[in-house]
């Protein structure tokens, strides 16, 4: 095991997180993290710094970490008088990072809300941020939708999949767009037609479509990508 991999493993265990939890919060694969801890995979300084920040290490710790060639901070000097042993405490349950804590990292990452069809926040996912933007749009306006049913199964979106939604103000031809009606979200593939009309398409076990006036639609955003659990 490398000294860097050993450090990440120690901090992960101290936080009480599994490989899967830390990998998910750091934006790396679980296999990559296991190999780093085992010393069989080389990790870039930027990746190591991000992982340490997710583990809650302070800026002073990281600065000391980055200043060493082997990525291991200098041990604290031996103090003249030993510290009294702290009173025994019950181990505290590891705290999940809050949205405010993650957002404080600014240009590194942001907790993006995951919403159900009624627009209620049910979870969050951490995504990298560049200059305050995710996928080129303002980070605060991005969210995930939990697909409420299999109505878009023919377009590879199944019930329970998480669909990344980017804000949109105009209809996009041949795109999968998110609309809202009576307080509920729904996804449809769009084909723009003449006369201010729009063909909405969905596909569960067979294709369906309907033509509606564009002015009757309440557009929310555009589906960017789909994520699902294996």
């Amino acid at each position: 095991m490398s000294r860097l991999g050993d450090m990440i493993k120690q901090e992960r265990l101290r936080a009480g997180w599994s490989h899967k939890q830390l990998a998910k919060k750091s934006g790396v694969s679980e296999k990559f993290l296991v190999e780093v801890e085992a010393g069989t995979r080389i990790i870039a300084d930027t990746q190591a710094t991000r992982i340490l920040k997710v583990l809650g290490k302070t800026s002073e710790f990281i600065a000391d970490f980055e200043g060493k060639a082997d990525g291991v901070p200098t041990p604290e000097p031996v103090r003249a008088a030993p510290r009294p042993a702290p009173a025994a405490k019950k181990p505290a349950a590891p705290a999940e990072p809050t949205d405010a804590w993650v957002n404080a990292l600014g240009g590194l990452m942001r907790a993006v809300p995951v919403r159900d069809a009624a627009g209620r926040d049910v979870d969050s996912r951490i995504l990298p941020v560049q200059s305050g933007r995710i996928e080129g749009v303002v980070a605060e306006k991005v969210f995930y939708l939990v697909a409420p049913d299999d109505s878009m199964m023919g377009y590879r979106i199944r019930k329970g999949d998480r669909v990344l939604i980017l804000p949109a103000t105009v209809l996009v031809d041949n795109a999968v767009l998110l609309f809202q009606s009576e307080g509920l979200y729904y996804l449809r593939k769009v084909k723009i037609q003449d006369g201010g009309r729009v063909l909405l398409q969905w596909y569960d076990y067979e294709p369906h479509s309907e033509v509606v006036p564009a002015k009757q639609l309440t557009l929310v955003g555009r589906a960017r990508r789909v994520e699902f659990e294996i």
Side-chain angles (χ1 to χ4, degrees):
M1 180 182 292
S2 69
R3 298 183 71 185
L4 176 55
D6 186 41
M7 179 197 304
I8 292 176
K9 180 178 181 179
Q10 290 177 5
E11 295 303 327
R12 177 180 62 79
L13 294 176
R14 184 175 290 115
W17 290 354
S18 66
H19 286 111
K20 183 176 182 179
Q21 287 175 307
L22 180 55
K24 180 179 179 181
K25 296 174 188 296
S26 303
V28 300
S29 70
E30 184 177 352
K31 179 183 177 186
F32 174 85
L33 184 60
V34 170
E35 292 177 350
V36 166
E37 289 190 0
T40 60
R41 174 71 71 94
I42 297 174
I43 184 172
D45 289 346
T46 54
Q47 290 177 306
T49 299
R50 183 170 71 248
I51 292 173
L52 289 172
K53 284 186 177 180
V54 170
L55 286 167
K57 305 313 295 179
T58 64
S59 57
E60 291 80 5
F61 180 95
I62 294 172
D64 190 32
F65 159 74
E66 293 176 333
K68 303 298 182 293
D70 59 1
V72 179
T74 303
E76 291 186 3
V78 178
R79 300 186 183 275
R83 295 179 179 178
K89 289 186 191 179
K90 278 188 175 181
E96 291 289 335
T98 64
D99 287 357
W101 179 85
V102 176
N103 291 342
L105 296 178
L108 291 178
M109 60 188 68
R110 181 177 181 83
V112 175
V114 178
R115 295 172 180 161
D116 63 14
R120 297 171 298 207
D121 290 356
V122 295
D123 199 355
S124 64
R125 298 291 296 273
I126 296 176
L127 291 182
V129 177
Q130 293 184 342
S131 302
R133 294 177 175 269
I134 296 175
E135 300 284 348
V137 301
V138 178
E140 289 80 1
K141 296 183 178 181
V142 176
F143 67 94
Y144 279 93
L145 171 73
V146 179
D149 51 41
D150 285 328
S151 63
M152 297 294 286
M153 183 170 59
Y155 300 106
R156 297 183 295 179
I157 302 175
R158 292 180 173 272
K159 181 178 180 179
D161 289 351
R162 297 181 178 186
V163 185
L164 183 64
I165 303 297
L166 306 184
T169 56
V170 295
L171 298 172
V172 181
D173 195 35
N174 286 319
V176 175
L177 303 181
L178 179 66
F179 299 97
Q180 190 174 38
S181 176
E182 299 180 353
L184 296 177
Y185 291 137
Y186 64 97
L187 292 163
R188 292 292 184 264
K189 186 172 182 180
V190 166
K191 286 188 178 292
I192 300 175
Q193 299 189 333
D194 295 333
R197 297 180 304 167
V198 178
L199 177 68
L200 300 181
Q201 298 176 304
W202 65 101
Y203 198 134
D204 43 25
Y205 297 99
E206 60 182 29
H208 306 273
S209 64
E210 66 173 332
V211 177
V212 298
K215 63 183 180 181
Q216 292 184 2
L217 297 171
T218 301
L219 176 63
V220 177
R222 178 176 182 175
R224 179 66 179 85
R225 65 170 177 264
V226 181
E227 299 178 8
F228 58 91
E229 299 292 338
I230 298 178

